[in-house]
Amino acid sequence: MPEEHDFEGQSLAHVTRRHFLEAGATGIGATALATLLGCDTPRGTPVPGIARNLLDPLSPLAPHFPPKAKRVIYLHMAGAPSQLELFDYKPVLARLNGQLCPESLMKGKRFAFIRGIPKMLGPQAPFNQYGESRAWVSDHLPHFSRIVDDVAFLKAMRTDQFNHAPAQLLVHTGSPRIGRPSIGAWVTYGLGSENQNLPAFVVLLSGGVGPDAGASVYGSGFLPSVYQGVQCRSSGDPVLFLSDPKGLPRDLRRKSLDAINALNQREHEAAQDPEILTRIAQYEMAFRMQLSVPEAMDIEKEPASVHEMYGTTPGTTSFANNCLLARRLAERGVRFVQLFHWGWDSHGASASEALNKGFFDRCKETDRAIAALVTDLKQRGLLDETLIVWGGEFGRTPMQENRSGADNPFIGRDHNAGAFTMWLAGGGIKPGVTHGETDEIGYEGISGQTDVNDLHATMLRLLGFNHERLVYRFQGRDFRLTDVSGKPIREIIA
Amino acid sequence: MRRSEVSLGVGLGVMAVVMLTGAGRQSDVWLFLGRFHPTLVHLPIGILLLAALLELAVRTGRVPALEPAAPVTLYLGAWAAIVAATAGLFLADWGGYPVAVLAWHRWIGVGVAVTAVGLCLMRRRAGAGPRYAAGLGLLSAGLVVGGHLGGTLTHGEGYLSESLPASVRRVAGLVPKDALAQRSIDGLDTAAAYQALIQPILDRRCGACHNPERKKGGLSLATLEGLMAGGKDGKVILPGRGEQSELIARLWLPPGHKDRMPPDRAIPIAEAELLRWWIDQGAPAEAKLAEIDRPARIERVLDSYGLSDLPSGIFTLRVPAPDSTAVAAARAAGLVLRPLANGSHFLDVDARGALARLDLLRGLGPQVAWLDLGGTDTGDSVAATLGGFPHLTRLHLERTRVTDRTVVALAELPYLEYLNLYGTRVTDAGLRPLAGLRRLRSLYLWQTQATRAGADSLKRSLPRLAIDLGGTVAADSMQPAGTSR
């Protein structure tokens, strides 16, 4: 330590006023030259970011080009549903059922649970082709099979994360580590909200367990926290801690808010911290939401035919209720609705995790409601401008899982980062197409492979953004959702 | 006459022979010599300019001692010019360069060689007089201009000016760089594919040989007529069959094959794809980009040219910026207004929160492109107002009190692409006036009195229109189309 100090002292002793003037003069000269020559942007076109006034963080803004979708409903199937039992039909795998997996398929792979040599596992459902697009759908999804001509499949999605939390973070924030804004936060930052009485980014959870990576998957990362997803509940108070305590009339609430806001404003003038503005905006929104949210979240007044269509039961927490809520929020101009439904982690280690038990239940819980959501949005003319995204965080292996070398008590599959299926529908998506193909056993993509960055680039494109230009400066550099990669998937854009 | 002068004369003679015997000398030996031109050409430029500098130093009296060096340098420079120009003539024979620039470059290059020899003789006979000085000035100018044209041939038009700082480009009156990328294409539904994409490729890649003057192989590709007429071996285009068309087939022959086109430099794959796509689409003369099917492969090519986000519909129109006081007034009344895109003057207006106060939008008629009146108490009185929004493309009138009378007014909105009428009292009769809306793509009629028959009848006039009558989930379950286990 003393030596370092000594060195620093010595080197500083040699810096004289002359050095300073010299360096200063050269620097000023170079700066002047750059200004004269107009070298403000070294190459190519200047990059116009999003001019967002943080005093008004949710005011509606225009994207880079005219959008095809105005809002997003993202249906995340947490735990990673098996593509091999839903959409990716592999007759060859059926023939290989029960055979030992060739060692070549295991080489260089990392699995969460498979150890040693597992057995191949054929599709655990009959498949049929549906619609004009002749898309393969398993018998687990009788309702979905009627809307295949409205969706575009990505059959060769891949990721580089094989555990739930990092994979969910990747699929929602573009990075497997905590700290980046979620796509809902990015979109809200870029577009603002058309309804100042409701949160711009709403999160609805079902399935009993939250996402593995916690609230970070719908967090705002380094964006101001006003852009994080607001979790709403379909039973009880829609938003926790939103109602006033008993005995506090609304006008008194207003007065106390005014006083708090004035104090916060003064604090902001002194500290210049944008988070204080976020707080003011949040208090104000909460005040407006006290009236508007209960109205938007009340599905009880929906006609019986709608409840029949979605399979909803008012007053409970269910994926179906959340789908109906998603439609109601979309109608009211909410920008991004994020649904999480937990329980798709079909390892076969228990009944609820079994492809031949729990998986059935998950399909039943979601199938009717998803088909209803797409159809309902369509007949209301909203599907045209609402982008729907369905998918998990990775796929599942064509091998049966053998946890610690022994077969699991139930039928299940391990995590597979190499291939999974997602589908998109609505706002600017080409309906009735399939992009990407996996090998004969659905293990890896063989053509049209797309990754999470491509998905995000596509979503942003449909919302009117050039994903390379939706940036936010943080810690001295521009960040974007797609980091350094990603290409809009032309094949599924109408 | 000295021996050195005689030899210069012989050199000039050889150059003249090469020039006069001209094209058709397509053998690798000559091309090999020609390929030295870009290297050799630096010698006369350097040496002759040095000669001019030496004369300047001597004549201004600054370094009189250099006097003997000047004529020697000029002599060497004249030789270098003859050799470089001769090599250049070999290279030019090979073709593949833009004709006009090449002609200028050729004449200036040959002119420089002849002038240099002439100045050599003049210096020896008459000394360094004023006419000699003028000749030397002319020679230097020729070197600069000819050299620049040579650079243009090698690197392409605008190579030099392209990298100028934007401010200098503005002062020099050059087009901004973005405009270069956009070329003459301003919109997907205004730019004809042939005019905007195909002919420029043919000009650039084939024009040097297949122009109306040279017409190699009897083929001129300068016009659509020439392209369709073909050459002395027959048609080069079979509309609808790109792969079999001679124009495409020859692009893919191996390098060195005698029928390969262009003979020396391969055409970029992206351009070859565009040509093939255009022929596959039937080689249409007038069809606009928006009217031709563009597979993902072609979209990607257009992407790489910066043409992917070309405007169509209203976006090819120019409207003035919206009046800011009118916008502020509408916002204050609770309407949500937002430009459709950064820099666009068109507006997306959500009027649901302000009880459809359309009078607030009176000053914004040309700018309103998307309008949402869904669920408001709008009635047929809106019909008179909607004509004031000629550029409407998306219109939400669902769950309002409008009837067939409003729909009649909608027929006057030529840019309408999306119309939502679900939950209104519209009937089949009301649909008929919509038959003239050629751009209409989506129509929503759930919970109206419109029927399947009415929708089908409208669809006969507008085959690309998607009509949604709703209620499809309640319909009987569809039979599986194929079965397997």
Side-chain angles (χ1 to χ4, degrees), chain A residues 34-53:
Chain A
T35 318
L36 281 174
L37 292 177
C39 293
D40 42 350
T41 50
R43 249 166 52 79
T45 48
V47 178
I50 291 296
R52 164 62 77 190
N53 175 8

Side-chain angles (χ1 to χ4, degrees), chain B residues 379-421:
Chain B
D380 278 334
S381 59
V382 79
T385 338
L386 285 175
F389 304 106
H391 301 139
L392 273 181
T393 55
R394 298 179 69 87
L395 180 59
H396 284 268
L397 283 170
E398 69 269 21
R399 295 181 288 116
T400 59
R401 293 183 289 108
V402 299
T403 69
D404 292 351
R405 263 181 290 168
T406 300
V407 185
V408 174
L410 299 180
E412 307 299 316
L413 298 171
Y415 291 100
L416 207 57
E417 293 169 6
Y418 170 103
L419 178 57
N420 196 336
L421 291 169

Side-chain angles (χ1 to χ4, degrees), chain B residues 201-222:
Chain B
I201 296 175
L202 297 175
D203 285 344
R204 175 116 186 261
R205 304 288 168 195
C206 323
C209 303
H210 298 290
N211 57 50
E213 290 106 62
R214 282 183 80 179
K215 241 185 161 177
K216 277 197 170 179
L219 177 65
S220 164
L221 297 176

Side-chain angles (χ1 to χ4, degrees), chain A residues 53-331:
Chain A
N53 175 8
L54 289 177
L55 276 171
D56 197 1
L58 291 173
S59 60
L61 276 192
H64 297 123
F65 17 78
K68 295 195 166 157
K70 294 175 84 168
R71 64 192 79 85
V72 179
I73 297 176
Y74 193 126
L75 311 171
H76 182 74
M77 302 296 117
S82 168
Q83 76 279 15
L84 298 167
E85 269 68 40
L86 295 177
F87 307 114
D88 208 10
Y89 177 52
K90 295 294 161 189
V92 172
L93 190 60
R95 285 209 301 279
L96 297 173
N97 188 35
Q99 298 185 21
L100 283 180
C101 173
E103 229 171 300
S104 59
L105 290 181
M106 311 290 293
K107 235 178 239 165
K109 300 280 180 195
R110 297 174 70 192
F111 296 98
F113 292 103
I114 286 181
R115 298 288 178 271
I117 305 295
K119 293 192 187 97
M120 303 305 288
L121 180 64
Q124 297 300 301
F127 274 77
N128 290 304
Q129 278 178 296
Y130 296 92
E132 281 175 33
S133 55
R134 317 286 296 143
W136 288 99
V137 180
S138 87
D139 283 5
H140 287 330
L141 303 178
H143 296 276
F144 179 83
S145 66
R146 293 183 204 136
I147 59 161
V148 287
D149 287 339
D150 290 321
V151 312
F153 291 96
L154 294 175
K155 287 269 179 81
M157 279 292 294
R158 62 182 165 193
T159 172
D160 51 16
Q161 298 299 320
F162 66 96
N163 275 321
H164 297 291
Q168 285 170 9
L169 276 171
L170 179 65
V171 91
H172 290 105
T173 73
S175 162
R177 284 165 292 279
I178 284 176
R180 299 288 180 87
S182 58
I183 180 164
W186 276 109
V187 168
T188 327
Y189 168 71
L191 293 175
S193 176
E194 274 160 51
N195 189 335
Q196 303 294 324
N197 300 327
L198 287 176
F201 176 14
V202 173
V203 180
L204 301 164
L205 306 182
S206 56
V209 183
D212 298 73
S216 297
V217 296
Y218 49 88
S220 58
F222 45 69
L223 289 174
S225 48
V226 66
Y227 301 113
Q228 70 188 327
V230 175
Q231 190 201 327
C232 294
R233 307 185 309 159
S234 50
S235 62
D237 264 359
V239 178
L240 285 175
F241 317 121
L242 187 66
S243 337
D244 287 328
K246 272 201 183 96
L248 180 70
R250 194 159 163 84
D251 55 339
L252 184 58
R253 176 76 191 146
R254 177 72 262 171
K255 277 184 194 145
S256 59
L257 259 188
D258 288 344
I260 295 169
N261 287 350
L263 284 173
N264 276 329
Q265 191 63 44
R266 200 179 298 172
E267 178 65 15
H268 174 251
E269 276 152 25
Q272 297 291 319
D273 181 354
E275 279 301 299
I276 300 172
L277 298 178
T278 292
R279 177 171 298 196
I280 297 176
Q282 297 286 59
Y283 280 161
E284 280 302 311
M285 171 164 285
F287 185 72
R288 294 191 300 269
M289 274 166 45
Q290 287 181 330
L291 289 184
S292 54
V293 168
E295 186 273 329
M297 300 291 288
D298 179 12
I299 58 171
E300 228 161 309
K301 292 192 191 75
E302 289 282 348
S305 61
V306 168
H307 287 303
E308 163 70 21
M309 184 178 176
Y310 283 80
T312 38
T313 317
T316 59
T317 299
S318 71
F319 181 79
N321 282 14
N322 288 349
C323 280
L324 180 52
L325 283 173
R327 188 214 84 205
R328 292 175 61 85
L329 295 170
E331 278 181 314

